[in-house]
Amino acid sequence: MKKALSVLLVLLLVSFAAFAGGSKETAAAASADDPYAGLGNYTMMIGHSQPADNPRSISLEKFVADVEEKTNGHVTVQVFGNGQLGTEKEMLEQVVIGTLQGMRGGQFDFTPRLLMFTLPFLAQTREEVTALLHSDLAAKVCAEAEAETGTVIINLCDAGGFRQFSNSRHPITKPSDLQGLKMRTAGMETIDRTFRALGATTTPVPYSDLYMALRTGVADGQENPWTNVSSMKFYEVQNYFTEVNYQFHPDPFYVNASWWNSLPEEFQTIIRECATEMGTYNDQLVDELQSSARQTVVDAGGEIYVPTAEELQAFKDAVQVVYQQCIDSGILTAEELAELQEIVANN
């Protein structure tokens, strides 16, 4: 109850801020040293679920500074991290209705076509991930979002790096080791289908509740990149890790379409450019922090198993059924799968 009241209070405060600062204000006159003085003032409130030391949080700090500097302070950005405004799904709902102007996170309930980029073992290198997220196919899928959800996706970056398995019961060295384990999913179809193909049962748990779910045994295990495991301290409630690099997640930057379309073109250009720079910085941070985040798990006593090439192939073979299942469910077409695979092959 207290948490619900706290979230409600924050939403009331940010809604008042949006009302007070989000609409265009008439400027007295544009000065020679401020070409944007006549364009009005805007407030952009952004929610996300990660703690302060996560690449998403750090890269958003850059975005805040860049937007405010390049618009001469006429666009003020406020960031509410660490799930202050609810789960990722709840925050995206707030963006859709306009309570929030923006949200970053791997939430695909309203844009399930983005799940095509989360097919298991689709990519294995940073170059392949970047090529996929910057492809014409990615741009097409993002463009579909406005008509379907009332949001504009102004950037796609990496949500945290390649994702690993962990659990509290025993090492996972082969697909059969997942049989009987309760593995947490984020409600994502590709994660759910992957674990089921490997013989596990699945249980949906919001990211902000995952630590407690693992601690209390609601779930035996989970999947996340090293940066998330470290920043959320999952290593405190998980003993066994498998460095399988089975999946990466896009990190879409959703923006309310009505608010976005109300902006002067000059501010749209600046914000989109800053979002692109933020995405590049985010991915650099992800790469830089992977090793230290992994070491944090080791130092905490976590047991990390690295499969051999032959063992890894067994995991890949076991989840091939997921590709056809995703085609059958309408996430992508066979032609789009071939396009994804061609992008990877050429990078």
Side-chain angles (χ1 to χ4, degrees):
M1 182 65 179
K2 290 181 178 179
K3 181 179 179 181
L5 288 173
S6 298
V7 171
L8 179 59
L9 179 59
V10 172
L11 287 174
L12 288 172
L13 290 173
V14 298
S15 296
F16 175 77
F19 177 77
S23 60
K24 186 174 179 180
E25 299 174 356
T26 304
S31 60
D33 58 349
D34 185 0
Y36 308 125
L39 298 182
N41 298 323
Y42 298 82
T43 297
M44 183 180 193
M45 293 170 292
I46 301 169
H48 70 94
S49 63
Q50 295 290 8
D53 61 350
N54 188 273
R56 186 178 295 162
S57 294
I58 298 170
S59 61
L60 274 166
E61 291 176 3
K62 171 179 170 57
F63 178 77
V64 170
D66 288 350
V67 169
E68 294 187 359
E69 177 186 355
K70 293 180 180 181
T71 63
N72 290 337
H74 293 293
V75 179
T76 302
V77 184
Q78 301 172 357
V79 177
F80 299 86
N82 209 23
Q84 293 178 68
L85 302 182
T87 65
E88 289 189 341
K89 183 176 181 179
E90 289 167 344
M91 286 186 282
L92 183 53
E93 288 171 345
Q94 293 163 34
V95 174
V96 170
I97 66 176
T99 307
L100 279 178
Q101 282 72 55
M103 176 265 185
R104 273 185 62 188
Q107 170 52 237
F108 309 118
D109 282 11
F110 300 162
T111 53
R113 294 255 296 149
L114 281 174
L115 289 173
M116 70 174 67
F117 299 101
T118 70
L119 289 168
F121 300 105
L122 175 64
Q124 295 292 293
T125 68
R126 165 58 61 201
E127 291 74 20
E128 291 170 359
V129 170
T130 299
L132 287 167
L133 294 180
H134 293 179
S135 66
D136 291 341
L137 180 56
K140 181 183 78 171
V141 174
C142 288
E144 295 169 359
E146 182 170 1
E148 296 174 355
T149 69
T151 66
V152 178
I153 299 175
I154 63 172
N155 184 254
L156 273 184
C157 58
D158 187 340
F162 289 111
R163 303 175 77 88
Q164 323 300 345
F165 298 157
S166 75
N167 82 102
S168 59
R169 293 175 56 183
H170 55 244
I172 297 172
T173 66
K174 56 187 180 298
S176 61
D177 291 330
L178 282 122
Q179 291 182 8
L181 291 181
K182 294 181 297 182
M183 300 297 289
R184 174 263 182 178
T185 75
M188 284 178 54
E189 183 175 340
T190 49
I191 299 177
D192 194 68
R193 291 187 183 279
T194 295
F195 279 139
R196 290 184 182 181
L198 293 170
T201 59
T202 58
T203 181
V205 179
Y207 185 73
S208 57
D209 298 333
L210 179 52
Y211 181 97
M212 188 57 65
L214 296 170
R215 182 177 179 179
T216 59
V218 171
D220 297 318
Q222 59 87 50
E223 55 75 56
N224 258 294
W226 292 123
T227 51
N228 291 5
V229 171
S230 176
S231 62
M232 296 294 283
K233 303 186 186 301
F234 294 146
Y235 53 80
E236 295 181 347
V237 288
Q238 298 278 269
N239 306 106
Y240 306 103
F241 296 83
T242 303
E243 192 169 51
V244 72
N245 291 347
Y246 90 103
Q247 190 185 54
F248 79 93
H249 288 183
D251 184 350
F253 190 175
Y254 295 101
V255 176
N256 176 268
S258 295
W259 181 83
W260 177 258
N261 292 327
S262 74
L263 290 174
E265 184 178 348
E266 294 91 335
F267 289 165
Q268 288 183 348
T269 299
I270 290 171
I271 292 172
R272 195 180 285 277
E273 289 174 350
C274 291
T276 299
E277 293 171 6
M278 175 191 66
T280 300
Y281 181 49
N282 174 87
D283 292 355
Q284 291 173 350
L285 288 171
V286 167
D287 292 343
E288 291 169 4
L289 294 175
Q290 286 296 311
S291 179
S292 61
R294 185 184 190 278
Q295 189 61 43
T296 297
V297 176
V298 173
D299 292 344
E303 180 181 316
I304 299 177
Y305 185 79
V306 181
T308 66
E310 183 178 354
E311 290 170 332
L312 192 62
Q313 189 61 47
F315 285 99
K316 294 178 180 179
D317 292 342
V319 301
Q320 284 305 299
V321 63
V322 176
Y323 283 49
Q324 187 60 49
Q325 289 172 344
C326 288
I327 291 173
D328 293 341
S329 67
I331 288 174
L332 76 167
T333 65
E335 291 74 20
E336 287 170 335
L337 174 58
E339 186 174 349
L340 290 172
Q341 293 172 328
E342 182 179 2
I343 291 169
V344 169
N346 291 334
N347 288 276

